[in-house]
Amino acid sequence: MVHQRTCIAEAMSMDLSPKRPVKAYSSDGGSYYDWSPADLPMLHTASIGAAKLSLFAGGLALPSYSDSAKVAYVLQGKGTCGLLLPEATAEKLIPVKEGDALALPFGVVTWWHNASSPDLVILFLGDTSKGHTPGRFTNMQLTGSTGIFTGFSTEFVARAWDLPQDAAATLVSTQPGAGIVKIKDGHKMPDPSDKDREGMVLNCLEAPLDVDIKNGGRVVVLNTQNLPLVKEVGLGADLVRIDAHSMCSPGFSCDSAYQVTYIVRGSGRVQVVGIDGKRVLETRAEGGCLFIVPRFFVVSKIADDTGMEWFSIITTPNPIFSHLAGRTSVWKAISPAVLEASFNTTPEMESLFRSKRLDSEIFFAPTN
């Protein structure tokens, strides 16, 4: 309980404003960006990592594994994800496209390839509580100038792969690129298989909607039923799209979860309220920005005339939310007399208050 109060107090004093990522490294094949805990302190507090991979035509993100479980979300483009689960004897060659979400548990080895234009852009959000650096992913490259085999002596490499020492030395040193490279013209990469998508991918733009409110908004939730590996990752996730000038009901996670939100496109106003009724964030969030809502804090959003779309992870696989407005609001279930006393208001005002939003849930369309 003391630790929880300390975390809440820390969050009250932190800069919660949305931030854009910084380029970590790049090549002629693409770029890797991440959000630093130094710029977004809530990443450290919540032990959350956030990064973005952008691959140009012909770009290849070299095989690697991570110190953290993640959810990957394809923001744009199409390509291939090579994925090798722990103890598996063959890789999965997964065709990916915009809207795809993949759960990447610990120990998964992945590579990503973009065979053609436009750019393939993937967002990664995950739990770094067991990682080397809380609030930041550490990716271990298997090959390239920063690959783990460059650290072993020629003797060890030669013996591990039963190679002559000169061949081992050549093999380890032939890839000068680091992290991301560009495939040589004429080099044939393996073809992805639609069959390998089964049980591994959920396309959030094509999946059945969990919430669909006319002129309000739509939600697709990733769960253990539609994406089984979510259970192993230990994170919940959703894609939310609200229409122009629509509002997302004020609400909070009531199971001690952080909400990590990446604005995919559009823009809107965001307010977050913490303890003692203090507004800790009032800002305008735009596409490409990331922000984190501390545990138990209340958040609400109103879209601009472009509408607003965001992808979020919640630091529990089965999040529970309470909403403070709408048909499912906690106020609809509380006794009238208690509501009157709580607001110190009249029965007439209580009746007016309770009579509103009887047919709206979570999202509120703009009034004409």
Side-chain angles (χ1 to χ4, degrees):
M1 180 65 71
V2 173
H3 174 70
Q4 180 172 297
R5 285 199 299 266
T6 300
C7 289
I8 291 176
E10 289 178 352
M12 290 291 293
S13 62
M14 285 182 182
D15 176 11
L16 303 180
S17 58
K19 296 292 192 301
R20 294 183 182 275
V22 174
K23 185 185 294 184
Y25 58 85
S26 64
S27 74
D28 57 353
S31 301
Y32 180 84
Y33 306 81
D34 69 357
W35 282 265
S36 166
D39 296 328
L40 191 57
M42 277 301 302
L43 289 171
H44 182 275
T45 300
S47 289
I48 292 294
K52 191 160 63 171
L53 173 67
S54 178
L55 293 178
F56 309 144
L60 171 68
L62 295 171
S64 67
Y65 64 94
S66 179
D67 65 348
S68 305
K70 307 175 185 176
V71 173
Y73 181 72
V74 180
L75 295 169
Q76 72 173 57
K78 60 181 180 179
T80 302
C81 172
L83 188 151
L84 185 65
L85 292 166
E87 301 183 351
T89 57
E91 69 181 346
K92 291 184 178 292
L93 299 168
I94 303 171
V96 295
K97 61 182 179 179
E98 181 178 343
D100 280 350
L102 300 85
L104 306 176
F106 280 108
V108 167
V109 173
T110 59
W111 55 263
W112 302 81
H113 178 234
N114 179 14
S116 60
S117 297
D119 295 355
L120 172 64
V121 183
I122 305 110
L123 173 72
F124 300 97
L125 301 173
D127 177 10
T128 65
S129 60
K130 297 180 181 179
H132 284 272
T133 304
R136 203 165 204 170
F137 297 133
T138 299
N139 299 318
M140 274 60 73
Q141 305 294 331
L142 297 187
T143 64
S145 62
T146 57
I148 59 174
F149 296 124
T150 61
F152 284 106
S153 67
T154 302
E155 175 194 0
F156 272 60
V157 175
R159 187 163 181 180
W161 282 278
D162 192 22
L163 293 170
Q165 291 211 17
D166 58 345
T170 300
L171 180 67
V172 172
S173 63
T174 49
Q175 175 51 273
I180 300 172
V181 299
K182 188 170 183 178
I183 297 297
K184 296 178 181 177
D185 292 341
H187 182 78
K188 182 69 168 67
M189 292 291 286
D191 293 324
S193 168
D194 286 334
K195 185 177 180 181
D196 283 351
R197 286 178 60 88
E198 297 175 8
M200 303 299 298
V201 180
L202 176 73
N203 188 278
C204 297
L205 301 177
E206 300 173 353
L209 297 171
D210 293 282
V211 176
D212 185 8
I213 296 175
K214 185 178 180 181
N215 299 321
R218 290 147 294 285
V219 182
V220 170
V221 178
L222 279 68
N223 53 45
T224 54
Q225 283 71 45
N226 54 26
L227 195 60
L229 283 177
V230 165
K231 182 177 181 180
E232 293 187 38
V233 172
L235 299 168
D238 58 20
L239 178 70
V240 180
R241 290 166 283 171
I242 60 175
D243 297 327
H245 305 295
S246 289
M247 181 180 192
C248 182
S249 169
F252 64 95
S253 170
C254 50
D255 53 358
S256 190
Y258 292 94
Q259 301 175 59
V260 185
T261 300
Y262 176 83
I263 308 300
V264 177
R265 58 178 54 86
S267 60
R269 289 179 291 148
V270 179
Q271 290 188 357
V272 178
V273 175
I275 57 176
D276 297 332
K278 293 181 179 178
R279 188 184 311 152
V280 294
L281 179 65
E282 179 168 9
T283 189
R284 186 171 177 272
E286 299 179 333
C289 290
L290 181 89
F291 68 97
I292 300 175
V293 178
R295 295 182 294 179
F296 307 112
F297 284 30
V298 179
V299 59
S300 184
K301 310 177 187 75
I302 298 178
D304 292 338
D305 55 11
T306 57
M308 197 175 181
E309 178 178 335
W310 63 86
F311 185 82
S312 297
I313 63 165
I314 302 94
T315 57
T316 177
N318 296 298
I320 302 172
F321 286 95
S322 285
H323 294 278
L324 302 181
R327 184 175 59 84
T328 57
S329 162
V330 296
W331 292 113
K332 301 299 184 189
I334 287 179
S335 304
V338 174
L339 191 151
E340 285 179 36
S342 299
F343 281 98
N344 188 27
T345 190
T346 63
E348 292 76 19
M349 180 59 74
E350 186 282 327
S351 179
L352 175 65
F353 181 86
R354 192 178 296 275
S355 69
K356 301 295 185 179
R357 296 290 185 207
L358 296 178
D359 58 351
S360 301
E361 182 177 353
I362 303 179
F363 304 126
F364 311 138
T367 55
N368 295 325

